[in-house]
Amino acid sequence: MFEIAYVESRGNGPLGEEETRVVAELQRRGIALQFFTRKQIDRRSLPLNERCFVMGAMPAMLGAMKQLGIEVPPPNDYPQALRGLLRREVWQSTLGEVERRIWDDLQLPVFVKPAERIKTFTGRVFESNADLYFLGSASRRQKVWCSQVVMWRSEFRAYVIGAQVVALDPYDGDAQLAPCGRTIAEAVHAFRDSGQAPAAYAIDFGVLADGRTALIEVNDGYALGAYRIDAAPYTDVLLTRWAELLTRRRAAAPAG
């Protein structure tokens, strides 16, 4: 599928856990490798084209897409087709509005996370003005997702290619308390049938305090964290999504 893979490195530091897995798998498959730094992406010094696979953190991936003329897909954390599985209220706001309501003591405890691709703060529960410290200098104009606070007994990530779940990893709570497999399978098919699903992605589900399975969020497959998933299916997820994105290059984009 690809002649060469460009994998982001941290200069002289060790590779991250995800990169280590993918590098070993790409080598096993006989795909040539070259490491790059964020600076090289920013300078457009890599000869990227449709025969290249790119793996890196979000800023690097966005830079690679820009160079290749790929329109960056908008985040779709809570797909419309799956809203019924949220089992809680979720709405979009701005950081400034959340801050104002907390200062005015109008805001019940609420989970807030960035709605943009680049995360300027870590999603967390905000209960009082003391929690505003964690926002730092993040722009109060940025869009955020707000969610009713619920109690999760367990949280799992399903890695999906097409309509197939290739791995299901626990990452928080009771690892023995898996969400309903039928609910996950039906959600994956509904998402595909909606026409909004990427070719490969991750969809997180958890078990609520009342025992119901609920959707946590969806994450695109081009810059995706790994938990316990084996190297082969994880690599397949990344390769599949990148191949799909390459089909959307603008005709006028330089070949590199």
Side-chain angles (χ1 to χ4, degrees), residues 85-202:
L85 294 173
L86 290 171
R87 321 289 193 203
R88 64 198 187 280
E89 289 187 52
V90 175
W91 65 98
Q92 199 167 78
S93 185
T94 65
L95 202 51
E97 176 62 15
V98 171
E99 183 179 49
R100 184 188 68 78
R101 293 184 62 84
I102 289 174
W103 276 113
D104 292 346
D105 202 22
L106 299 173
Q107 184 73 66
L108 295 172
V110 61
F111 178 82
V112 181
K113 71 171 188 175
E116 312 294 340
R117 302 179 194 96
I118 301 295
K119 308 302 183 184
T120 56
F121 67 94
T122 301
R124 58 174 291 115
V125 173
F126 289 83
E127 299 183 79
S128 70
N129 54 33
D131 295 317
L132 298 174
Y133 165 83
F134 295 97
L135 298 177
S137 61
S139 170
R140 276 24 180 194
R141 293 190 298 272
Q142 72 170 288
K143 294 178 181 179
V144 295
W145 282 110
C146 299
S147 174
Q148 174 188 0
V149 176
V150 294
M151 180 66 69
W152 297 101
R153 296 173 62 189
S154 65
E155 298 178 43
F156 282 68
R157 169 161 290 181
Y159 298 85
V160 181
I161 299 176
Q164 180 183 5
V165 175
V166 297
L168 182 65
D169 284 358
Y171 63 87
D172 201 10
D174 184 353
Q176 303 304 311
L177 186 61
C180 174
R182 179 176 179 178
T183 299
I184 295 174
E186 290 177 350
V188 166
H189 281 84
F191 192 23
R192 181 196 61 182
D193 292 345
S194 74
Q196 295 186 344
Y201 60 96

Side-chain angles (χ1 to χ4, degrees), residues 12-25:
N12 295 326
L15 288 176
E17 175 62 29
E18 286 88 353
E19 289 81 5
T20 298
R21 291 187 213 183
V22 171
V23 164
E25 182 61 21

Side-chain angles (χ1 to χ4, degrees), residues 237-251:
V237 168
L238 299 179
L239 290 172
T240 299
R241 180 54 171 148
W242 186 248
E244 180 185 38
L245 288 170
L246 284 170
T247 66
R248 301 178 180 178
R249 292 182 67 193
R250 292 190 297 272

